Amino acid sequence: MINWEGINEFVAVAEGGSFTAAADKLGLSIAHVSRRIKAREARMNTRLLNRTTRKVSLTEEGQVFYQHCRQILDALAGAENALDDLQSSPTGALRMTAPVSFGDTYIAPLVNDFARQHPKLRVDLKLTNQRLDIMDEALDLAVRLGPLEDSRLIARRLGERAPIVCAAPQYLARAGQPHTLNELSEHNCLLGTLDYWRFRDNGRARTIRVSGSLRCNSGPSLLDAARKGLGLVQLPDYYLRADLDAGKLVPLLQTYAPEREGIWALYPPTRRLSPKVRLLVHHLETQLPPLLGG
């Protein structure tokens, strides 16, 4: 069993800089705070505080102990918050963003389910392929696909995707099947928002610039074009699975398949995440993977 004696008092002194500040914060007497910390030091046979008539400071051992105690207390507060969240209903506004096609197909329906469960919540969902700045736009949450860039944000993995190059049999019968990355320049490549495709060549990530007769920022629209034999397409596996299984599309360049990419929920760093964001992230974590085949 963990002995908690003196831990709250020690952390309060470390953060307040004095026994007086700690006593005021905890609603205890200075003598009580001092007595509990001395008992903690005696139990550990370690001096945690440097005491002078003018100030109190942490010893080297006290610094190490404080960091661990702070993490323990934060984890305990998080556990209590999680229980509070289960007993409370999210209220107020929740502002979030997601990519257009993925958001339309997968995120919006799940957010709508969540909103139906919590009628006091007002949701503002912005679907855009622009990577909005969460802090500048005052967003509570963003769903992002692929590699992450902003290290200021907290990231939770919601699922993953595997980009696959494929084409319809009728296109391949007409234009032939590419076997190397260099052959992509000879084919009509249907483009999304980017003008390059990602691959893995000899164990290293590689991007290939491609071009073609059609560009669209909608995954379902590109899928429809590929089905109709307009060209090659690189799309995430969740768009393609049914057509690949049915033989309506043929996977290509599989030896150059890139690594699976993450699907992320991003939100600003905060010691206490609001119930509405915490519960929505949990909802997406549990409901999204089955839709993606995960």
Side-chain angles (χ1 to χ4, degrees):
M1 293 291 292
I2 296 176
N3 187 317
W4 291 91
E5 183 182 24
I7 289 180
N8 284 318
E9 290 83 356
F10 166 70
V11 169
V13 170
E15 294 179 346
S18 71
F19 286 94
T20 300
D24 289 342
K25 178 180 180 180
L26 298 175
L28 302 171
S29 69
I30 296 175
H32 179 86
V33 172
S34 177
R35 187 164 56 249
R36 294 294 295 269
I37 293 177
K38 285 181 179 179
R40 166 57 57 178
E41 289 177 318
R43 183 175 184 276
M44 298 171 57
N45 195 27
T46 302
R47 185 162 57 89
L48 301 173
L49 299 172
N50 292 313
R51 302 166 174 84
T52 68
T53 55
R54 293 186 176 182
K55 65 176 183 177
V56 177
S57 61
L58 296 175
T59 64
E60 182 177 353
E61 294 81 2
Q63 287 279 5
V64 173
F65 190 61
Y66 166 73
Q67 294 297 331
H68 286 276
C69 288
R70 183 69 268 170
Q71 292 177 16
I72 292 170
L73 293 177
D74 285 346
L76 180 59
E80 292 176 345
N81 290 338
L83 291 179
D84 289 342
D85 293 347
L86 291 175
Q87 300 170 356
S88 62
S89 179
T91 60
L94 190 152
R95 302 184 69 242
M96 63 177 295
T97 183
V100 174
S101 184
F102 184 79
D104 220 6
T105 306
Y106 295 100
I107 299 301
L110 293 179
V111 171
N112 292 340
D113 290 340
F114 185 78
R116 183 174 58 182
Q117 296 169 15
H118 304 287
K120 295 181 180 179
L121 193 65
R122 302 191 312 276
V123 178
D124 181 356
L125 172 58
K126 186 177 184 65
L127 298 181
T128 175
N129 291 329
Q130 295 180 344
R131 292 213 167 190
L132 301 178
D133 188 299
I134 292 180
M135 313 294 274
D136 289 347
E137 299 284 339
L139 296 170
D140 298 296
L141 183 68
V143 174
R144 297 271 167 81
L145 310 176
L148 297 178
E149 299 173 357
D150 198 337
S151 60
R152 298 175 302 165
L153 303 174
I154 305 299
R156 292 278 290 274
R157 195 181 188 96
L158 302 177
E160 57 183 24
R161 64 179 187 171
I164 297 175
V165 175
C166 61
Q170 63 265 38
Y171 173 84
L172 298 176
R174 182 175 72 250
Q177 181 170 327
H179 297 284
T180 67
L181 298 183
N182 290 336
E183 293 177 65
L184 287 174
S185 62
E186 304 169 9
H187 286 269
N188 191 43
C189 298
L190 311 176
L191 297 174
T193 55
L194 304 175
D195 58 1
Y196 61 85
W197 289 352
R198 288 187 286 269
F199 297 96
R200 196 159 188 83
D201 190 7
N202 292 320
R204 303 182 67 177
R206 182 180 175 186
T207 59
I208 300 292
R209 192 171 296 274
V210 294
S211 61
S213 62
L214 177 67
R215 178 189 292 270
C216 183
N217 65 350
S218 166
S221 295
L222 289 174
L223 174 59
D224 180 70
R227 285 172 178 159
K228 293 174 178 175
L230 295 184
L232 307 183
V233 71
Q234 186 182 61
L235 285 171
D237 51 352
Y238 44 78
Y239 286 122
L240 304 170
R241 191 171 294 109
D243 289 278
L244 292 174
D245 291 344
K248 295 179 180 179
L249 293 173
V250 178
L252 305 168
L253 301 171
Q254 292 179 285
T255 56
Y256 299 99
E259 292 184 345
R260 298 184 70 84
E261 302 172 337
I263 299 171
W264 309 92
L266 302 182
Y267 49 85
T270 177
R271 178 169 289 177
R272 191 189 190 286
L273 190 61
S274 67
K276 59 189 177 185
V277 176
R278 188 193 308 275
L279 288 175
L280 177 55
V281 170
H282 178 71
H283 177 72
L284 295 176
E285 283 178 322
T286 55
Q287 300 300 315
L288 183 59
L291 297 178
L292 303 178

